[in-house]
Amino acid sequence: MGIIKAVKLCHEYIHRDEEGNVDNIETALDNVDLDISQGDFIAILGHNGSGKSTLAKHMNVILSPSEGTMYVDGKDTSDEDELWNIRQTAGMVFQNPDNQIIAGIVEEDVGFGPENIGVPTKEIWARVENALSKVHMEKYRHHSPNKLSGGQKQRVAIAGVIAMKPKVIVLDEPTAMLDPIGRREVIETIEELNKKEHVTVILITHYMEEIVNADKVFVMDHGKIVMQGTPREIFSKVDELKSYHLDVPQITLLAHKLREKGLNIPEGVLTKEELLERLCQLS
Amino acid sequence: MLRDITIGQYYPEESFIHKLDPRVKLLGAFLFVVSVFIYDNLLGFAIMTFFLGLCIVTCKVPLKFMVKGLRAILFILILTGVINLFLTPGTSVFSWRFINITKQGIYNTVYMIIRLTYLVLGSSIMTLTTTPTRLTDGMETGLRFLKFFKFPVHEVAMMMSIALRFIPILIEEADKIMKAQMARGADFETGGLIKKAKNMVPLLVPLFVSAWRRAGDLAMAMEARCYNGGEGRTRMKPLKYQKCDYIAYLILFIYLGAMIATRIIFKADTLFGMYS
Amino acid sequence: MSIILNHVNYIYSEGTKIAQHALKDINLQIGDGEFIGIIGHTGSGKSTLIQHLNGLLKPTSGEVYYNGRDINDKDFSRKELRSKVGLVFQYPEYQLFETTIFADVSFGPKNQGLPENEAGLRAFEALRSVKIPEELYYQSPFELSGGQKRRVAIAGVLAMKPEVLILDEPTAGLDPMGRDEILDEIARLHKERNMTVILVSHSMEDVAKYVDRLIVMNGGVVAYNGTPREVFSHYKKLERIGLSAPSVTYLVHDLFEKGYDVDVNATTVDEAVETILNCFKK
């Protein structure tokens, strides 16, 4: 069993009217099966409302399954005794950088998680030190989060998760509110964590360029996983992706269109270098 | 305008006062506030001013930055000033139609303005030199005895520290929403009191909705990071008194003693206290 | 000539230690019916710049003219200016406040002093042009999806029938489809109503696809000002200020360097397809 495994996972949001009667039931997750290996870089794609955020929240037990089971590191998330263990194992970074930083000083915020789980003071300091260096934010440890850029804030949030020594980091659209520079900072940070620390990364995003280096991509639509595979496999199906309201990276789209016009270029070209090479081979 | 509020903002610096235990600073601020209310003569005023000046110099926060905080209470200062100036009965020094300014009125005005200014400056030294987290830590530890009376000390302290962190964010947001509504022709300036209040709806509703959304997000983020109330929590920066804290306590009590002594030993003089 | 900026400077908190020279001697002309993109990273002065165009900020020195009149003149009506120059802020859905979508969109026209029925008509038109289904008009704006909320918020400004529409990152946080829908919508409004549109964006791909002219801001000055092709030809210099050209531009430049006869000024996918096909099918 992988580090994260979902078996026929269902989630329903029940909306009630003013009298408390069930108004309508919205199926956010519909029989999702998923198995993620330790150390992988996983990307989850899907348009807004496709259920990807709901899925992420199950990995951190912010939500519990309506039906089916979710296992994190072999532990069933509906087992209440394991709640705090699971939350330590699978840390979570959210979209809005302002709404997840609790303390008024960077280092104190990074220490917030370890404080909650009762880590002794001396070790908290060691963990904070380590976590800040992993995201290259040591210089800012005494700063107020309000003075940081969006990308820096997200790196602080990531450090806050690393300080819990997780095996998995789930990032729910961490770059949606950032500018291109901030986006690059965050993606480089998580790629480095995945490679050097072998932390399993689960990245939810709308930016296709961010996931060309992922090990595996899942595409969600209407609460179901509708596509899965390597970025190359996924991005070679441009039209299918479009039907799920998704994009491909600009270079992939260019390659796809050139192929349609009769040039001998394979589907699923991901990078500029690759396309350049393919084009040079043509003549 | 809204950005000018410096109360509750931390000014990073490495000073003696910054390093003090927050419990010392809390008690210090409290004793200073007491002293502001008990002084009634020039010597007391001199000691108080000297003490405040000493703190301002030692804490290394630029005076300009502190004075900016006063701007937020400028309206209150003027209002108290005006009320005292025109409405205090006594020996008249200036009279014109219905306006009657008395000697006592002038004294009271000066006296009240000094009190309020010192009050704000004194307490802002505490907030400027202590991070909100340490401040609430100080409260949580310093007021731990209240737990005995079933008072949720930890929860209140956590709420306060979060509120302090989000005040600047919400102020900026209010600024943004205000501008956005102005771009849709909203008018926040003209009209009578009732119309003005009504005109605030387009600002207040979005601000409230946003605060609500942020609160939800934050609660989720805290839960995701294993926050489970005060039980079983350890501290990254546990409060421990150092030598300098004991020295500070000593200085504080000497100061308070001096202030009480001046009040008892010396009689109120005419310059600053007599008519109060 | 609809908008002219003449030696505009803006300094935040002037005279204090934290003073910040946000705009430095800006000279720009924005003609009627243009579709303009403004790019620059956070803190480059682009938000400050657009707030000058409808008088929310007043230049520290210099003048802003709208149709030949200085907008900061005492006798120039702010109210009139704001209905002519519509500004949609970032995350505009955060400004919704009324109980119904319809009432929210009527807020602007009512502030313009239009009678109830006229304001309602404007709201109706605006909501229709952003394609909000009619059955939603009397629902609470807070129950809509993210993309719908944003369109309602944009309708709130459109209902004022502005001659110039400025949008500060209208697609931030939307998914790819939501993004394309909004941008297509804006392009259509530009075309159909001949409205001047100023689009502030982080996405080079988006601006290259839609705008006629691109203004690049950096450190409070206009770094580049020209057609996307002209601006992106400086792609190496753009990188030095933290921006980049669309990825296809890099590709055609690389091809050119390898000796292929491609048009290095291609900035969109379609342009790149065309020039590469021309080169390779020969």
Side-chain angles (χ1 to χ4, degrees), chain C residues 23-41:
Chain C
L23 291 181
K24 294 173 193 159
D25 196 35
I26 304 284
N27 293 294
L28 281 175
Q29 295 193 346
I30 293 161
D32 282 328
E34 272 198 275
F35 196 148
I36 289 181
I38 300 183
I39 53 176
H41 54 79

Side-chain angles (χ1 to χ4, degrees), chain C residues 207-255:
Chain C
V207 286
K209 199 164 149 197
Y210 291 95
V211 306
D212 311 323
R213 182 149 70 103
L214 200 52
I215 294 168
V216 180
M217 295 291 295
N218 183 45
V221 299
V222 175
Y224 297 101
N225 179 3
T227 63
R229 283 168 159 261
E230 282 163 23
V231 171
F232 288 136
S233 68
H234 304 285
Y235 70 109
K236 280 193 174 144
K237 285 182 195 143
L238 281 173
E239 250 171 36
R240 252 174 262 153
I241 58 176
L243 299 168
S244 51
S247 358
V248 294
T249 306
Y250 289 88
L251 181 84
V252 287
H253 273 276
D254 285 358
L255 277 173

Side-chain angles (χ1 to χ4, degrees), chain A residues 57 60-62 83-85 87-88 90-92 94 96-105 107-122 124-125 128 141-142 144-147 153 156-157 160-161 164, chain B residues 9-12 14 65 130-135 137 154 158 161-169 172-173 210-211 213-238:
Chain A
K57 283 173 190 154
N60 193 262
V61 213
I62 287 169
L83 177 66
W84 304 108
N85 281 331
R87 287 197 176 150
Q88 267 180 72
M92 190 138 178
F94 299 89
N96 189 326
D98 277 323
N99 297 355
Q100 55 185 319
I101 294 181
I102 291 109
I105 295 285
E107 60 174 12
E108 289 177 8
D109 187 73
V110 177
F112 178 76
E115 283 184 333
N116 289 334
I117 50 175
V119 174
T121 301
K122 226 175 132 193
I124 298 181
W125 281 88
V128 168
R141 63 183 303 165
H142 300 296
S144 152
N146 292 338
K147 300 264 157 78
K153 283 183 209 170
V156 170
V161 170
M164 308 277 279
Chain B
Q9 251 180 46
Y10 175 66
Y11 190 95
E14 302 263 321
F65 197 78
T130 324
T131 66
T133 351
R134 264 175 77 74
L135 198 61
D137 272 2
H154 168 78
M158 181 55 85
S161 76
I162 289 172
L164 283 171
R165 176 169 140 59
F166 277 86
I167 284 169
I169 294 177
E172 205 170 297
E173 183 142 326
S210 151
R213 194 190 59 245
R214 284 180 192 278
D217 281 5
L218 191 69
M220 192 161 66
M222 287 171 75
E223 240 185 271
R225 286 166 75 183
C226 296
Y227 180 71
N228 189 24
E231 290 309 308
R233 256 188 126 226
T234 44
R235 281 312 168 87
M236 180 179 180
K237 297 175 178 171

